[in-house]
Amino acid sequence: MKPMLLPILLLQRMQHLVDGGKLWAAILAVTMLLLAACSPASRVGAVTPPYIDTGVDPESWTVVPAGELPYGQHDHMTLLDYDYEIMITDVTNAQFARFLNEALADGTLHIGAVEVEAGENVSLHEGVYAYYPGDPFHGYEHEEEIKAGDKLYVSFEEGLRLTFDQETETFAAIPEYANHPMTMVTWFGANGYCQYYGWRLPTEVEWEKAARGVELVNGRGLPFPWGTEIEGNNANFYSSFDLFEKMFGKLGNTTPVGFYNGKTYDGYQTLNSASPYGLYDMAGNVWQWTGDDYPDQHYRYMRGGSFYSYAVDLRVWKNNSAHPSYYSPQVGFRCAR
Amino acid sequence: MMQSLSKRLDYLFRSTRGLTLVAIAVVSVITAVFGMLSGPMVEWGVKEVVVRGLGMKLVEAEREGRIIMLYHTIAMTVIAIEVYFITELLPMKRHEQTTINGTITIGYLTAGIFGLLFAYWGHNFIFHGLFLLGQSLVFFAGLLLSAALWPWKKEYRLPKDSPYAHTRGGLDLERLAFFVMAVATLVSASFGAVTGSYWGNGHETFLAEDLIRVPHKTELQKSIIGHLHIMLTLIAVAITLIVGRWKDFKGVLHKIAMPLMISGTIIITAGALSVVWVEWAHTIIYFGSVFVMLAALMYVIYAWDMLIKEGVAVQGLNNPNAWQKIRALLRDPLRFGPGWQMVFMNFTVSGVGIFMAVKLEEIFRVWPHREERITLTGHWHILSGLIATIILMYFADLSGLKGKARQWFGWLLIIMSDLAFASVTVFSMKRLFVSEVEQQPLVNWTMLLTDLGLAAVLVVLAIFMLWRLYDLFQAKGYWTQELKAERKKAAETEIAEQKHRLEELNTALKEVLK
């Protein structure tokens, strides 16, 4: 899991492409290599940020009471007739490392190579995996079957903010990233984490209610967890000029969970951007996997936008979707119960 | 003073070049103002200044609706430009030309002004009503255009030995292609209008790229998706036909191209609109696209062959080698450019689309929706941009741009726009070469090159427009020559029409007196 240089990765990719007879792709890779070699920009994973204590406890939960909420961009009044609890913050790297250690110890999880299917393509990933019972399959147009079998939770790749000690077979969060959201985790990994503790991923409706509350301003639900307008120091999004963009360029990096709580860090003043129920990072920082498995499709949905997103994608009703085996430095999750 | 103003207004609103200049200025102003609300302008804080300075009311939940109105404003202005070109290039009665141009001008300006007021400065039924009225006028102008283009009229029949594509009966196939395009546009606009009007009854605004993964779309949503795709395609078909007329496309290739263009336009339109009901509509669209793209290829071959022949003749070469031919081909960027942009489109639009379709399972079913959305919006922004550059090349040629100014304008337009479009294409396809963890240098470079390319194109356009503005303040500016030439042509057309009418009346009189 040592950080690798981009040119090396690109060279490896190029070799693979040439081997595969994809000359055109190799030419493009060479172009990218030249561009990458010229670039002075830093990138995610290349620099380690300082540890920042936000004072927000990632172990805490809050109750969202039963009732109607304005749902979606067009504020359809929707009833959730039950109370539920949801995590105040995203699951952190430290929390996920603890889970991996516990679940490895009791045999729920395994380490090794696991097949990841993407259409007709099957690739082998070295990482942590566990059994998943599969999803109902309807054979609808563009729907892919999610079969029962071993599914990748995290892949041992650059970008993972965990270290693995082979001797003791234990994971640990990179200290500076301990309270950053857990990223590079598949939907299977996020779902597995919540289920391991008897919880679940929130549905999209639950997520949105927790994010925007039930208040109507001028007849409309809130577009952002904290109100109707967004400032750079409300959330971690693309070119929001946060502390981490100084280190990582304007694409930025994750911020510690609960970072935007009104505190000042190294002269950087944040705005208290908690949702009406006191949740942090419900807009920006990382996309959050949600739990719905909709019929006639294999996609899993994410909410909230990320540090890679423009502000428009931080509006509470916007979603993103991907194959459940997708993982990314901008995708994390939190649980509900 | 009044006479001077009247002359200029006469030029701006009654001549093809003047009307086109006004429309390009309108698009430029819209692009300049509303372009400041997104992209790097947000990062640099320009958006905030513009919004506050102009007193815009931007409600977050209404962003999609605002964007849709903005697209419509720009699209209708571009359609107006194409209509001006068509009424100038194709034979029609003088009164038809003036009525069509007048109607569409009032239409796009009304729709644009009140649409943008409604979208960005506050909702009221007057603004929205006038927006709809403007659009209706544009539609009505389309009806008038279709009637004027009616290719079965006796006077538009071609002789048997004509070098232009025609049937045995003399039906002008190029005119038929324009007619089919115009009618298809009206039908497709109706698709948008009918579903759009339903919004008032509770249907909800959306951007098509946000719905791409919804497995069960409603008929209304599918109608809008079909509408927006076919409208842009038909704008592209129209500009291809226009540049063909501009370059006097004729001969064997013309005779092959026109039937292809006619059938392709009909098939694509049918395919795009059948998206509502037919599951395999994409197959119909692909089938029609092959016809249209082959027709465009015929034009490119013809236009470049002509350029080479002319260039070689100018150089006085009898047996030119490949290098000399290439030099001949590249000697005039404004004449080389339209064909090149059509070829380039295959790399940045069609090629990407086909590649994505082939790799659907490996790419789109795995990639996050945001990546798919970038590719989708990227490809149609590029197509729109390419069409805009072709329009500008044609207009610069009409404006009589010569010498070094022509070379600089033409080459900067081609090179810098293509740099931007290529960079956007690489950016949108980046997941093929680089993972999210390592993407930052690539993103930085492609964004930088895109901004650089677009900024250069906008600067070139601004210089060109400032030159035209300066010219307009000159008592004997270039505009006076343009006005004179167009008035002369209009007078000649009207005299010919009157003579023809007189002949008809004389014949009728003779019949009566017999």
Side-chain angles (χ1 to χ4, degrees), chain A residues 6 9-10 13 32 35 39 41-42 73-74 76 118 121 140 142 144 158 220 238-239 241 248 250-251 296-299 308 312-313 315 318-321 326 328 330, chain B residues 43 59-64 204-205 210 213 215-216 355 359-362 364-370 373 426 432-434 436-445:
Chain A
L6 174 59
L9 281 170
L10 282 169
R13 180 86 182 131
M32 296 309 107
L35 286 174
S39 174
S42 56
Q73 183 168 8
H74 303 287
H76 294 291
N121 274 13
Y140 195 72
H142 303 314
E144 266 189 30
E158 188 182 1
R220 293 178 185 278
Y238 179 76
S239 202
F241 303 106
F248 296 93
K250 65 182 179 182
L251 286 183
D296 298 338
Q297 56 179 309
H298 61 279
Y299 298 117
Y308 274 9
V312 291
D313 279 342
R315 294 176 299 169
K318 296 298 284 184
N319 66 12
N320 191 4
S321 63
Y326 168 75
S328 153
Q330 51 166 330
Chain B
E43 297 157 29
V59 176
E60 288 293 344
E62 292 166 358
R63 178 177 180 269
E64 283 71 10
E204 290 166 347
T205 308
D210 286 338
R213 289 190 173 177
H216 301 287
F355 179 81
K359 297 276 179 184
L360 192 68
E361 292 207 349
E362 287 171 47
F364 280 164
R365 292 183 193 176
V366 184
W367 285 8
H369 173 230
R370 298 291 122 170
R373 195 178 68 169
V426 172
L432 290 173
F433 343 104
V434 63
E436 286 182 50
V437 177
E438 291 106 16
Q439 73 176 14
Q440 192 162 327
L442 176 68
V443 169
N444 290 348
W445 276 104

Side-chain angles (χ1 to χ4, degrees), chain B residues 220-354:
Chain B
L220 289 165
Q221 288 169 337
K222 287 182 194 168
S223 303
I224 292 295
I225 292 166
H227 162 77
L228 66 95
H229 279 91
I230 192 59
M231 291 306 283
L232 186 56
T233 306
L234 289 168
I235 288 173
V237 167
I239 198 65
T240 309
L241 288 168
I242 288 165
V243 293
R245 196 81 308 281
W246 167 30
K247 302 288 172 55
D248 195 22
F249 185 21
K250 61 188 173 191
V252 178
L253 293 172
H254 189 260
K255 288 173 180 171
I256 300 168
M258 287 308 129
L260 286 170
M261 191 61 107
I262 294 162
S263 39
T265 305
I266 295 169
I267 296 167
I268 291 187
T269 307
L273 301 183
S274 70
V275 160
V276 181
W277 305 282
V278 182
E279 282 188 10
W280 43 277
H282 277 94
T283 311
I284 306 174
I285 295 167
Y286 294 147
F287 188 60
S289 303
V290 172
F291 285 69
V292 170
M293 286 164 75
L294 279 174
L297 177 66
M298 299 297 148
Y299 158 74
V300 173
I301 295 169
Y302 172 83
W304 286 5
D305 185 50
M306 284 293 287
L307 264 177
I308 292 169
K309 280 178 182 160
E310 283 175 19
V312 165
V314 168
Q315 292 174 63
L317 301 165
N318 288 329
N319 253 334
N321 58 31
W323 173 241
Q324 287 164 330
K325 283 182 180 175
I326 290 170
R327 278 191 63 191
L329 176 66
L330 301 179
R331 78 186 205 286
D332 182 355
L334 293 187
R335 294 177 66 200
F336 165 76
W340 167 252
Q341 296 295 69
M342 287 181 200
V343 171
F344 191 73
M345 184 200 73
N346 287 291
F347 300 116
T348 52
V349 182
S350 320
V352 172
I354 293 166

